């Protein structure tokens, strides 16, 4: 997928393709999680009219703990999805030909948060403990890490017992789990807001242990990328989205308020979203949407280094393309 057909290249070289009827082209975006500042760039692009300027009508579809974006994409429920690379590459190896077309997040915000009084002082101590984690593909980075450490996930004294987590951090707060996977911009602060002191916790950031993987990439189906009009539509979508991210990073407070306006559940709070936006800005800082191939390779190597139970069994081929971001950044 690193190369575009001559026909598509010629069309892109001539500029964005206008629709014959003058109507906006539709893009359905499936989010990785619920409406929150993690996705501020897209909501900003929608609110500020960046998508409209590109001739696009974008529908942002919230996710959740029981929604697997690859399944939504496969079923035709979305044109493009946001997904962590471990989940997407596992889906690709299992027969769903997804391709990374852009990578707004350049670093990981994933970490493990444990009770300090659990006796866990380093990741190797996790054996014999219960860990709460999100499923539906979100668990792959953790499974890869445990496999590298030689710790099973089937329970017992020598393994970790996995407990499915949902929207909140109740499994940790209620001591159903000794540890819980958290994001630097979200669940960790939910724990703190519940009245827990940082001194009562011990955290392990994936970035600090060399096992981080890329998160929140933009993925599309490979067959769609054979269509020059789809490639052009995605280039316009990525260009507008990255404008949204740039604006959100420069105006974090205003971006968080925009996100709150789009939260139809009413579950998000101003304080939490403001703080989240500040943390998320650190994860997109320095990126322009183009996938860093070295970071991609580090992710693949991490997933392959899973001992007898790796997340993927062989290095993927054709799992990313620069054709969309090259077109998006050309203007």
């Amino acid at each position: 997928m690193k190369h575009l057909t001559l026909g598509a290249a010629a069309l892109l070289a001539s500029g964005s393709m206008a629709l014959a009827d003058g109507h906006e082209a539709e893009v359905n975006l499936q989010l990785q999680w619920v409406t929150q500042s993690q996705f501020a760039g897209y909501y900003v692009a929608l609110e500020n009219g960046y998508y409209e300027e590109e001739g696009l009508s974008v529908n942002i579809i919230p996710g959740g703990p029981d929604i697997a974006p690859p399944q939504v994409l496969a079923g035709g429920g979305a044109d493009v999805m946001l997904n962590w690379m471990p989940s997407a590459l596992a889906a690709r190896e299992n027969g769903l030909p997804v391709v990374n077309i852009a990578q707004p997040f350049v670093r990981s915000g994933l970490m493990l948060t444990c009770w300090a009084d659990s006796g866990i002082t380093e990741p190797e101590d996790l054996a014999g403990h219960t860990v709460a984690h999100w499923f539906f593909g979100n668990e792959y980075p953790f499974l890869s890490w445990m496999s590298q450490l030689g710790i099973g996930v089937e329970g017992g004294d020598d393994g970790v017992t996995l407990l499915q987590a949902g929207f909140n951090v109740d499994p940790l707060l209620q001591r159903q789990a000794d540890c819980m996977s958290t994001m630097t911009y979200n669940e960790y602060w939910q724990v703190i807001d519940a009245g827990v002191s940082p001194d009562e916790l011990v955290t392990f950031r994936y970035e600090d242990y060399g096992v981080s993987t890329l998160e929140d990439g933009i993925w599309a189906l490979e067959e769609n990328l054979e269509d020059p009009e789809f490639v052009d539509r995605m280039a316009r979508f990525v260009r507008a989205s990255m404008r949204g991210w740039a604006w959100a990073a420069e105006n974090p407070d205003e971006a968080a308020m925009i996100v709150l306006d789009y939260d139809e559940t009413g579950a998000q709070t101003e304080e939490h979203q403001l703080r989240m936006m500040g943390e998320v800005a650190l994860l997109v800082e320095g990126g322009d949407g183009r996938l860093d191939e070295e970071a991609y390779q580090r992710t693949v190597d991490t997933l392959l280094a899973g001992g007898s139970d790796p997340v993927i069994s062989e290095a993927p081929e054709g799992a990313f393309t620069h054709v969309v971001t090259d077109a998006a950044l050309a203007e």
Side-chain angles (χ1 to χ4, degrees):
M1 295 306 302
K2 293 184 181 180
H3 303 286
L4 185 63
T5 63
L6 291 176
L11 284 165
L12 286 173
S14 65
S16 293
M17 293 172 278
L19 297 180
D21 58 8
H23 292 167
E24 293 179 333
E26 187 175 80
V27 176
N28 293 305
L29 168 66
Q30 175 64 56
L31 300 184
Q32 171 91 7
W33 200 246
V34 299
T35 300
Q36 57 184 18
S37 293
Q38 176 185 359
F39 312 112
Y42 309 101
Y43 286 109
V44 165
L46 184 62
E47 179 67 18
N48 287 0
Y50 300 155
Y51 290 134
E52 186 177 3
E53 289 178 22
E54 293 286 356
L56 300 175
S57 174
V58 176
N59 178 35
I60 302 177
I61 308 168
D66 298 322
I67 297 175
Q71 293 179 7
V72 176
L73 196 65
D79 302 296
V80 65
M81 68 171 178
L82 301 183
N83 206 212
W84 288 0
M85 188 166 284
S87 171
L89 293 184
R92 183 176 176 86
E93 184 167 288
N94 289 328
L96 181 63
V98 294
V99 177
N100 180 293
I101 62 171
Q103 187 61 47
F105 277 42
V106 298
R107 55 191 61 85
S108 170
L110 183 62
M111 64 182 183
L112 201 61
T113 298
C114 306
W115 288 110
D117 61 12
S118 66
I120 299 171
T121 60
E122 55 186 1
E124 288 79 2
D125 297 331
L126 287 168
H129 293 274
T130 298
V131 175
H133 207 303
W134 321 286
F135 286 7
F136 292 94
N138 297 301
E139 72 274 23
Y140 288 130
F142 178 76
L143 296 180
S144 178
W145 193 5
M146 293 303 98
S147 188
Q148 290 183 47
L149 293 175
I151 299 175
V153 291
E154 304 299 328
D157 293 338
D158 297 328
V160 166
T161 299
L162 273 182
L163 178 67
Q164 183 175 358
F167 284 105
N168 54 47
V169 292
D170 286 352
L172 190 69
L173 296 178
Q174 296 173 1
R175 297 280 183 162
Q176 298 170 358
D178 302 306
C179 303
M180 182 171 178
S181 288
T182 60
M183 304 305 296
T184 57
Y185 51 80
N186 192 6
E187 290 81 9
Y188 173 78
W189 294 105
Q190 290 182 31
V191 177
I192 299 301
D193 289 342
V196 178
S197 167
D199 294 338
E200 298 178 78
L201 304 170
V202 58
T203 60
F204 308 103
R205 283 202 62 174
Y206 281 55
E207 288 275 0
D208 296 338
Y209 287 85
V211 291
S212 63
T213 52
L214 288 172
E215 300 162 0
D216 289 51
I218 303 177
W219 300 76
L221 291 176
E222 187 171 314
E223 61 184 34
N224 290 337
L225 293 170
E226 298 173 2
D227 179 359
E229 292 185 359
F230 181 84
V231 171
D232 174 74
R233 184 157 38 112
M234 290 300 101
R236 287 182 279 148
F237 170 73
V238 168
R239 182 163 53 240
S241 297
M242 294 313 298
R243 282 184 66 191
W245 275 118
W247 191 94
E250 293 175 1
N251 306 275
D253 291 353
E254 293 89 341
M257 298 309 294
I258 288 175
V259 171
L260 281 171
D261 287 341
Y262 281 94
D263 174 32
E264 297 181 354
T265 69
Q268 306 293 0
T269 67
E270 181 177 335
E271 180 184 10
H272 188 54
Q273 293 309 305
L274 287 169
R275 189 165 50 195
M276 183 184 295
M277 186 60 238
E279 294 289 339
V280 168
L282 300 176
L283 305 183
V284 299
E285 185 179 15
D288 59 7
R290 195 174 196 273
L291 174 68
D292 180 343
E293 292 192 33
E294 290 187 4
Y296 167 83
Q297 193 58 53
R298 285 197 302 271
T299 295
V300 170
D301 291 344
T302 295
L303 299 178
L304 287 172
S308 61
D309 190 26
V311 171
I312 54 176
S313 61
E314 58 184 21
E317 294 184 4
F320 70 89
T321 178
H322 293 310
V323 67
V324 171
T325 47
D326 284 351
L329 296 171
E331 296 186 12

